[in-house]
Amino acid sequence: MNQSSTIILGIESSCDDTSAAVICDGKVLANIIANQEVHKKYGGVVPELASRAHQQNIVPVVDAALKEANIKKGQLTAVAYTNGPGLLGSLLVGSSFAKSFAMGLNIPSIAINHMQGHILAHFIDEKDEAPKLKPSFPFLCLTVSGGHTQIVKVINFFEMEVIGETIDDAAGEAFDKVAKMLQLPYPGGPLVDKLAQEGNPDKFNFPHPNVGDLSFSFSGLKTSVLYFLQKEIANNSHFIEENLNDICAGVQKTIVAILMEKIENAIKITGIKEVAIAGGVSANSGLRSALLQLQQKNIRVFIPKFSYCTDNAAMIAITGYYHLKTNQPLEATMSPNARLKL
Ligand code: KG4
Ligand code: ZN
């Protein structure tokens, strides 16, 4: 670090994780995430409770990030914060804090699109490691989270075109809803993944949707799992507990196959041979190994570190860093937008 270093504080509060990160010249010095346990007993995120928990967490989380990074407030170049999409109350806590903090320090605040952040997480470098191999433009990114399932053509840091998306549920939502039917706690995606690893993926088969070349649909899968479970439970009330791992493996295999089919279509249609994944579902072991197999077809594959798959502020800080580096306009008065598009 030197006098001319660019040091960004990133703040993420779009859903139920409060996170703050410090990035110096593209390298992470700290990335602190406070998860909110309060939602577990409700089986999903309760927006009002999420904003209250963000209010409690934001100051200690920012403080912890600055301390871990060994950075004083006065050394910061800018504050980058998530401006949307997400839960409006949650976004308001992070964005109000970030803008006032930046104003107090007389430095710029930079509004960041959360989904752009997930994608640009591929450009994060680690403090004590050599710069890692990064995707080159243009590349395709499959963004799969609790609220989104999109194929994005990433033309440069800030020019991104959505070329395919879901017509109903997101992939993460499909994981979570099936998990709920299986009486697993929220968020069910990581648990389904864990149980699937012990199960037989071919014991139960579920249908694939028939939608456009680059469109996704998961609501049919959700309904077919529901009817399947109702039918089996009518014969055997212990059906779920006796077959949990195999059901999870079958559902995961189907979701991964749907995602892979569309990404392979996108490679064919665009001719682009660089593919990345981003968002919470990119932590899924089945998806990660299916994607790696594309390397046998001469496709360059980029898979984020686990800590940058789910929501984190390092991805917001790195997006802020490239925002400054590529001289994007700063819009200081931006209000959060719950439905912000890419
Ligand atoms: O990106 P993210 O942290 O938050 C949103 O922006 O939505 O994604 C959260 C989603 C949840 O639906 C969660 O169940 C899912 O990502 N998820 C997973 C895994 N880890 C997180 N789904 C499947 N397998 C996983 N290992
Ligand atoms: Zn996210």
Side-chain angles (χ1 to χ4, degrees):
M1 190 185 321
N2 53 48
Q3 285 283 311
S4 59
S5 286
T6 304
I7 306 175
I8 311 281
L9 170 69
I11 291 178
E12 154 64 31
S13 71
S14 65
C15 190
D16 59 340
D17 294 314
T18 320
S19 179
V22 180
I23 282 202
C24 175
D25 297 331
K27 293 192 167 205
V28 182
L29 303 183
N31 182 36
I32 307 286
I33 303 171
N35 304 115
Q36 302 180 358
E37 294 298 317
V38 61
H39 307 286
K40 277 221 163 90
K41 62 174 181 270
Y42 301 99
V45 177
V46 184
E48 179 54 31
L49 295 180
S51 16
R52 284 190 219 172
H54 282 305
Q55 278 177 333
Q56 283 172 350
N57 293 343
I58 189 92
V59 171
V61 163
V62 168
D63 189 47
L66 290 170
K67 284 206 174 101
E68 186 174 312
N70 199 17
I71 290 290
K72 301 262 173 292
K73 285 182 291 192
Q75 291 174 277
L76 293 172
T77 311
V79 183
Y81 64 94
T82 304
N83 195 43
L87 300 169
L88 190 59
S90 293
L91 291 166
L92 275 166
V93 177
S95 64
S96 318
F97 178 89
K99 285 192 276 191
S100 348
F101 196 65
M103 200 178 278
L105 293 169
N106 204 18
I107 56 175
S109 58
I110 312 170
I112 303 292
N113 181 310
H114 178 84
M115 297 312 292
Q116 220 162 39
H118 271 304
I119 295 172
L120 296 187
H122 285 281
F123 293 85
I124 298 172
D125 279 320
E126 300 300 322
K127 185 171 56 168
D128 302 318
E129 294 173 16
K132 65 167 198 253
L133 206 62
K134 302 181 179 66
S136 44
F137 300 116
F139 65 93
L140 296 173
C141 188
L142 174 69
T143 56
V144 269
S145 69
H148 288 80
T149 299
Q150 297 180 324
I151 299 178
V152 181
K153 183 173 160 189
V154 186
I155 300 154
N156 60 43
F157 286 112
F158 293 97
E159 210 180 326
M160 302 186 182
E161 188 189 338
V162 178
I163 59 170
E165 61 190 325
T166 181
I167 57 168
D168 42 56
D169 294 348
E173 205 177 344
F175 270 109
D176 296 340
K177 285 181 175 166
V178 168
K180 200 167 183 178
M181 292 178 209
L182 299 172
Q183 286 134 36
L184 298 172
Y186 179 89
L191 264 173
V192 171
D193 186 1
K194 193 165 162 236
L195 298 170
Q197 291 175 41
E198 306 295 319
N200 172 3
D202 300 317
K203 185 161 169 194
F204 304 116
N205 289 301
F206 300 100
H208 289 210
N210 193 1
V211 285
D213 279 352
L214 298 179
S215 300
F216 300 88
S217 168
F218 292 101
S219 67
L221 170 66
K222 183 182 66 187
T223 315
S224 83
V225 175
L226 180 69
Y227 288 164
F228 163 77
L229 291 176
Q230 283 173 346
K231 192 169 129 245
E232 296 294 341
I233 292 167
N235 293 328
N236 170 10
S237 59
H238 299 292
F239 179 77
I240 291 182
E241 58 204 77
E242 287 169 9
N243 294 279
L244 187 57
N245 296 349
D246 297 334
I247 305 170
C248 288
V251 168
Q252 177 160 307
K253 184 184 81 171
T254 311
I255 295 177
V256 170
I258 295 170
L259 295 172
M260 291 307 296
E261 185 193 320
K262 301 302 175 164
I263 198 74
E264 294 205 47
N265 283 351
I267 294 169
K268 262 190 224 129
I269 291 169
T270 62
I272 296 173
K273 290 183 178 311
E274 308 236 346
V275 176
I277 47 172
V281 181
S282 58
N284 184 266
S285 61
L287 180 61
R288 291 166 90 90
S289 54
L291 207 81
L292 282 175
Q293 284 174 17
L294 288 180
Q295 287 175 333
Q296 289 163 7
K297 298 182 185 172
N298 278 334
I299 308 292
R300 281 194 355 136
V301 167
F302 296 88
I303 297 177
K305 260 180 72 169
F306 282 111
S307 48
Y308 304 140
C309 288
T310 42
D311 292 346
N312 66 88
M315 70 187 198
I316 303 303
I318 195 75
T319 308
Y321 173 69
Y322 281 103
H323 199 108
L324 290 185
K325 222 179 151 184
T326 59
N327 295 315
Q328 301 297 308
L330 289 169
E331 297 175 69
T333 54
M334 286 261 267
S335 305
N337 179 350
R339 295 181 180 275
L340 190 63
K341 300 260 182 260
L342 256 184

